[in-house]
Amino acid sequence: MTVRKYTENDLPEMIAIWNEVVEDGTAFPQEEPLDSKTGAEFFASQTHCAVAEDDGKIYGLYILHPNNVGRCGHICNASYAVSSESRGKHIGEQLVKDCLVQAKKCGFGVLQFNAVVETNVHARHLYERLGFVQLGTIPKGFRMKDGHFENICPYYHEL
């Protein structure tokens, strides 16, 4: 498995994986799926975007971008998506580790996750194992697909 910067040829698989997570409605705040046009624009607008690839197949991806501007512009944010058929194979861990390296190369000083859903225990355990610190809990900060609210847990990692 290789984690590398995405290319335009990766877009159809990236969009499919991203949309799978969006449509699941339990992790990403986005509600609208991407199409070929909006997907190309979305991924191109990121500071850095990478895919986990093996033998020409894309298994996951991440996006990296500023979390804020100006005096807080040194803080970045990232999102990770792994295809449902590929979960449990430590692909997410490879994506997060690469993201930490790339974020530092891009000049960021802190990687912050604003809205990790409290019930997303696999992601939370991964982040904590990699040295992320939970900042607290925001009650009912995430509206799930079925309409009920879950707590969110912001995390950060100094780079």
Side-chain angles (χ1 to χ4, degrees), residues 25-26 28-29 31 140-150:
T26 61
F28 285 177
E31 296 180 295
K140 298 182 179 181
F142 189 91
R143 183 176 38 81
M144 302 295 278
K145 186 175 182 176
D146 68 5
H148 85 277
F149 289 89
E150 294 280 342

Side-chain angles (χ1 to χ4, degrees), residues 23-95:
E23 290 166 6
D24 184 46
T26 61
F28 285 177
Q30 292 85 355
E31 296 180 295
E32 297 299 322
L34 300 172
D35 60 30
S36 59
K37 183 179 186 310
T38 59
E41 292 168 353
F42 176 72
F43 292 119
S45 72
Q46 306 302 316
T47 301
H48 187 79
C49 188
V51 295
E53 179 258 333
D54 192 31
D55 287 331
K57 181 169 173 53
I58 304 301
Y59 293 93
L61 64 107
Y62 73 83
I63 61 170
L64 174 70
H65 51 265
N67 194 50
N68 213 315
V69 297
R71 297 182 195 279
C72 296
H74 63 288
I75 302 173
C76 61
N77 182 264
S79 297
Y80 309 91
V82 175
S83 69
S84 60
E85 66 189 33
S86 306
R87 293 182 190 147
K89 299 179 182 178
H90 304 283
I91 296 167
E93 181 172 357
Q94 292 178 56
L95 291 168

Side-chain angles (χ1 to χ4, degrees), residues 3 47-50 62-67 73-80 95-113 132 157-159:
V3 178
T47 301
H48 187 79
C49 188
Y62 73 83
I63 61 170
L64 174 70
H65 51 265
N67 194 50
H74 63 288
I75 302 173
C76 61
N77 182 264
S79 297
Y80 309 91
L95 291 168
V96 176
K97 285 180 174 180
D98 187 76
C99 183
L100 288 165
V101 170
Q102 296 303 324
K104 189 168 186 166
K105 283 183 181 178
C106 290
F108 293 110
V110 175
L111 175 54
Q112 178 177 310
F113 302 144
F132 284 81
H157 191 296
E158 288 192 40
L159 302 173

